Amino acid sequence: MKRYFILLFLSFQAMIAQVQFEAKVSKQTLGLNERLRIDFTMNDDGDNFTPPNFEGFKIVAGPSQQVSQSWINGKSSFNKTYSYFLLPMQKGTLVIRQASIDIRGQIYKTSPIKIIVTAAVEQPRDPNDTQVTADQSLHLVAEISKTNPYLNEPITVVYKIYFSYNIGITNWRELDKPKYNDFWSQNIDIKQLVAEEGRYKGEKYRFVTLRKTVLYPQKSGKLVIEPLSLDVDVQLPSNRRNIFGQVLLVEDHKRVSAGAKTINVKSLPEAGKPVDFSGAVGRFAFKVIPSKTNIKSGESLDIEVSVSGTGNLKLFNLPKPIVPTALEMYDPVHSEQVSTPLSGMTGRISDKYAIIPQYKGKYPIKPMTFTYFDLGSQSYKMVTSPEIMINVLEGPNAADNSVAATSDTKKAAVLSSAQFKFIKLKTDLTSMNQSDFYGSTLFYLLTFFPLFCIPVIVIFKKKKEAIDGDVVGNKIKLSNKLAKKYLSEAQKEIGNKEPFYIALEKAMHNFLKAKINLETSEMSKEKISEILLERKAKPESISAFINLTENCEFARYAPSTSNAIKQDYDKAVAIISELEKQIV
């Protein structure tokens, strides 16, 4: 009696056993240079596994699939796991979203998992391991020309990646771009990356210059240059050799960072600073040149104010000439011929003013002064232009013109207010007689339109209820859609053997679900043959379909070429097309 009670209890426990589908991670806090393993496990077999998109992570390996089934004391135990290895692409809190799977017609989903990614951490190395590692052989360095410049003094930042002679670099990607807050910056294009020889910490290395930037600090005090971070693909020699004695290479990844750099910017000295100092720092020449000095009234001349030399040419304003009121001066035309090599800005900037004299006479343009801070002598320099005399040879005298202007003041005022009236071409006038909204066409349209919508809504609702009530039809539509989806995925994965055959097997299973309404748990060779023969399918097409389906699992792990994978894909498309035509 006791034995029967135990058997009954075990049977009841098996009946109430629930399906479990969950995601487990190796750790929930990791460094930017560490890998994360995530396992999606289930205690019952399922189809159509859909992983999350792993936003913020890069898939390094996976998916790998493990299946185990055992019988212990008459009790069955099943476990299936999909495993991925991930590499974080950014710092912060990342979320691995839900994965889903279809188990016996029911969709199960995992819970989202939060992962905290910190800065790169130091990974301990086994002292007994003599294999070359990327940690020891790869370094990203930011070389700064000067760490304590003056305000607006140019400095350069050159980013170089050093790597030892026994490793190779195949590719790299920028993870964090450097940020130059409170700096004026100019990147210098590097047309071709060339490997050179150099020394890093006293040892010989090869290096490649990745980026060159010229910076002008715009603020005094301690300024921080945010780091450049790279994800580098490397080839490392292993401890193994091939049959010819050659060292075998292994692929690996390495996250490197140049680290944040602090620049201590000195303020320009207050002692001796001129009142009209505009912020020019460097070594300059200053010129004020008129296009001509003898001119008739009504004609124009140009005054060009220019500064040339080396320094922060784009970061200060040129002085403005002061002219007598009898000379009408217009806003300047600014031009720059400045290049920015690694040593800093060099070239010429200028402002060109157009001047038109009104009256006859001689008019002086006062000397102009330009001041700058000379980095060589670390003192302020002042350059003064000579006085320019403009000689207006012909035209009315200023005294005669003032008398005429006094007598015609009222008339001129009237003209000045009336001469621009023609510019206003549009008015904002509105009609005084406006029609009422009540009784208009729009009023009746808005009144009766909701009544016309009621039967349309009723018909649409009944149609939707009929579609939603067709459970079998909806399931067939979903399976047909999934078959097309996985067949398309298989085509994309022709170059990757294991994902290709997983997608191909799912496509063929969902094709059967859509065409003959057969569940995955009911699929067997005999059952498939029996139903397809009843649906008028040809025996040779049925045999080809079953053989290809059974070979998908084996082909995942057997050696194969890309040509063989392509042939299997073409065969699957042909078989599905034939069955599509034959099944009634």
Side-chain angles (χ1 to χ4, degrees):
M1 185 66 181
K2 184 177 180 181
R3 180 184 303 173
Y4 292 121
F5 178 76
I6 294 174
L7 290 175
L8 182 63
F9 176 75
L10 293 176
S11 300
F12 177 74
Q13 187 180 23
M15 289 175 62
I16 65 173
Q18 295 182 346
V19 174
Q20 294 181 352
F21 178 51
E22 57 183 352
K24 300 178 181 179
V25 293
S26 58
K27 58 178 71 175
Q28 290 190 297
T29 300
L30 70 157
L32 190 62
N33 58 335
E34 293 184 300
R35 296 185 181 183
L36 175 73
R37 173 172 176 164
I38 182 168
D39 296 325
F40 299 96
T41 62
M42 65 204 76
N43 63 351
D44 200 346
D45 197 8
D47 291 320
N48 303 330
F49 171 69
T50 304
N53 59 5
F54 298 116
E55 184 179 355
F57 291 92
K58 173 185 177 183
I59 300 177
V60 178
S64 60
Q65 179 179 327
Q66 301 89 31
V67 178
S68 63
Q69 189 168 8
S70 61
W71 290 83
I72 301 176
N73 296 329
K75 183 179 178 181
S76 174
S77 174
F78 179 87
N79 184 271
K80 187 176 183 180
T81 304
Y82 292 94
S83 299
Y84 292 83
F85 286 90
L86 310 175
L87 194 64
M89 303 300 292
Q90 63 190 57
K91 294 185 292 184
T93 300
L94 306 180
V95 178
I96 299 177
R97 306 202 176 273
Q98 294 176 316
S100 63
I101 195 165
D102 183 356
I103 300 178
R104 303 185 184 277
Q106 181 70 32
I107 302 297
Y108 293 88
K109 296 183 179 181
T110 61
S111 299
I113 301 176
K114 288 186 178 180
I115 303 297
I116 299 175
V117 181
T118 64
V121 297
E122 184 177 356
Q123 296 178 332
R125 181 171 179 264
D126 185 359
N128 298 320
D129 185 8
T130 59
Q131 182 174 331
V132 176
T133 63
D135 293 331
Q136 296 178 323
S137 307
L138 191 66
H139 309 279
L140 180 62
V141 178
E143 298 181 352
I144 299 178
S145 61
K146 194 171 186 179
T147 57
N148 59 338
Y150 278 106
L151 189 69
N152 269 312
E153 179 181 359
I155 62 172
T156 59
V157 182
V158 180
Y159 295 94
K160 297 180 180 179
I161 185 167
Y162 287 86
F163 54 101
S164 62
Y165 285 86
N166 53 359
I167 72 169
I169 297 177
T170 57
N171 192 22
W172 62 76
R173 294 163 295 280
E174 286 189 359
L175 297 176
D176 290 326
K177 292 186 177 181
K179 298 178 181 178
Y180 308 112
N181 298 326
D182 298 315
F183 288 94
W184 183 93
S185 62
Q186 176 70 54
N187 289 326
I188 298 177
D189 293 334
I190 299 178
K191 296 181 179 180
Q192 186 176 5
L193 300 178
V194 180
E196 304 176 63
E197 293 185 350
R199 288 188 172 273
Y200 177 76
K201 293 185 177 180
E203 298 183 7
K204 286 187 176 181
Y205 275 81
R206 290 178 295 171
F207 71 89
V208 173
T209 301
L210 303 179
R211 184 192 291 259
K212 297 179 180 179
T213 306
V214 179
L215 302 177
Y216 282 83
Q218 301 298 293
K219 180 181 176 182
S220 60
K222 291 186 177 181
L223 305 183
V224 177
I225 300 176
E226 298 293 332
L228 170 67
S229 298
L230 303 178
D231 183 15
V232 187
D233 298 333
V234 296
Q235 291 180 333
L236 303 173
S238 66
N239 294 329
R240 297 178 296 162
R241 296 178 180 269
N242 58 18
I243 58 176
F244 302 104
Q246 297 173 330
V247 175
L248 296 177
L249 300 178
V250 295
E251 301 287 339
D252 198 3
H253 300 269
K254 170 66 175 175
R255 298 280 179 91
V256 290
S257 174
K261 303 296 182 182
T262 301
I263 308 298
N264 189 15
V265 182
K266 297 181 292 185
S267 300
L268 296 177
E270 293 296 329
K273 179 185 287 188
V275 177
D276 59 348
F277 177 68
S278 61
V281 176
R283 180 168 292 178
F284 304 105
F286 176 66
K287 293 181 180 180
V288 179
I289 300 175
S291 59
K292 50 189 172 181
T293 56
N294 295 322
I295 191 172
K296 296 179 181 180
S297 175
E299 293 182 348
S300 66
L301 65 93
D302 293 330
I303 296 290
E304 185 181 44
V305 181
S306 66
V307 169
S308 60
T310 301
N312 59 335
L313 287 164
K314 296 182 179 182
L315 303 177
F316 60 83
N317 296 322
L318 293 171
K320 184 176 180 179
I322 299 175
V323 299
T325 56
L327 302 179
E328 186 175 359
M329 185 173 68
Y330 294 87
D331 291 337
V333 176
H334 184 77
S335 64
E336 296 179 353
Q337 297 88 38
V338 180
S339 62
T340 310
L342 202 59
S343 58
M345 295 185 217
T346 183
R348 179 177 180 272
I349 62 173
S350 64
D351 285 342
K352 184 177 286 188
Y353 296 84
I355 297 177
I356 300 177
Q358 301 296 316
Y359 314 116
K360 181 181 178 181
K362 293 186 177 181
Y363 303 98
I365 297 178
K366 295 180 180 181
M368 299 173 60
T369 302
F370 173 72
T371 59
Y372 65 93
F373 183 75
D374 184 12
L375 292 171
S377 62
Q378 297 188 4
S379 62
Y380 293 97
K381 302 289 185 180
M382 182 179 297
V383 183
T384 303
S385 66
E387 182 182 79
I388 300 174
M389 183 64 70
I390 304 299
N391 187 15
V392 182
L393 302 176
E394 297 179 5
N397 293 321
D400 297 339
N401 191 74
S402 62
V403 173
T406 304
S407 62
D408 293 339
T409 300
K410 185 174 182 180
K411 181 178 178 181
V414 173
L415 290 174
S416 63
S417 62
Q419 62 182 339
F420 295 108
K421 278 190 175 181
F422 73 93
I423 296 175
K424 190 172 184 180
L425 302 178
K426 294 182 180 180
T427 66
D428 54 358
L429 302 177
T430 58
S431 175
M432 295 179 62
N433 297 322
Q434 296 182 352
S435 59
D436 294 333
F437 173 70
Y438 179 77
S440 65
T441 303
L442 180 60
F443 170 78
Y444 289 111
L445 183 63
L446 295 177
T447 301
F448 293 106
F449 179 74
L451 300 178
F452 290 122
C453 292
I454 292 174
V456 177
I457 295 173
V458 172
I459 295 172
F460 176 77
K461 184 178 180 182
K462 289 184 177 180
K463 183 69 175 176
K464 187 176 185 303
E465 289 176 350
I467 294 174
D468 294 340
D470 186 9
V471 178
V472 176
N474 289 336
K475 194 170 183 180
I476 290 174
K477 289 180 183 178
L478 178 61
S479 299
N480 195 16
K481 183 179 179 182
L482 290 172
K484 293 179 181 179
K485 171 188 173 184
Y486 288 118
L487 194 61
S488 176
E489 287 186 5
Q491 185 180 16
K492 295 177 182 177
E493 298 290 348
I494 285 180
N496 302 317
K497 180 179 63 176
E498 185 174 347
F500 168 79
Y501 283 107
I502 291 174
L504 187 62
E505 185 178 8
K506 290 180 179 180
M508 301 186 76
H509 282 180
N510 281 284
F511 173 76
L512 285 182
K513 288 183 180 181
K515 293 302 176 185
I516 61 178
N517 195 19
L518 186 64
E519 296 295 333
T520 304
S521 58
E522 299 174 349
M523 288 185 186
S524 64
K525 182 178 180 181
E526 295 76 13
K527 188 73 171 178
I528 294 173
S529 299
E530 179 184 350
I531 296 177
L532 290 177
L533 286 172
E534 291 176 357
R535 302 289 293 273
K536 307 301 182 183
K538 294 181 180 181
E540 55 270 21
S541 298
I542 297 172
S543 176
F545 182 88
I546 292 173
N547 290 338
L548 183 58
T549 305
E550 291 178 344
N551 288 338
C552 280
E553 182 69 24
F554 172 76
R556 247 188 276 172
Y557 306 102
S560 62
T561 63
S562 58
N563 290 332
I565 294 175
K566 182 66 168 57
Q567 291 175 2
D568 285 344
Y569 174 77
D570 295 338
K571 189 186 298 181
V573 173
I575 292 170
I576 290 176
S577 299
E578 288 297 322
L579 289 176
E580 187 82 38
K581 299 174 184 177
Q582 297 168 11
I583 294 174
V584 296

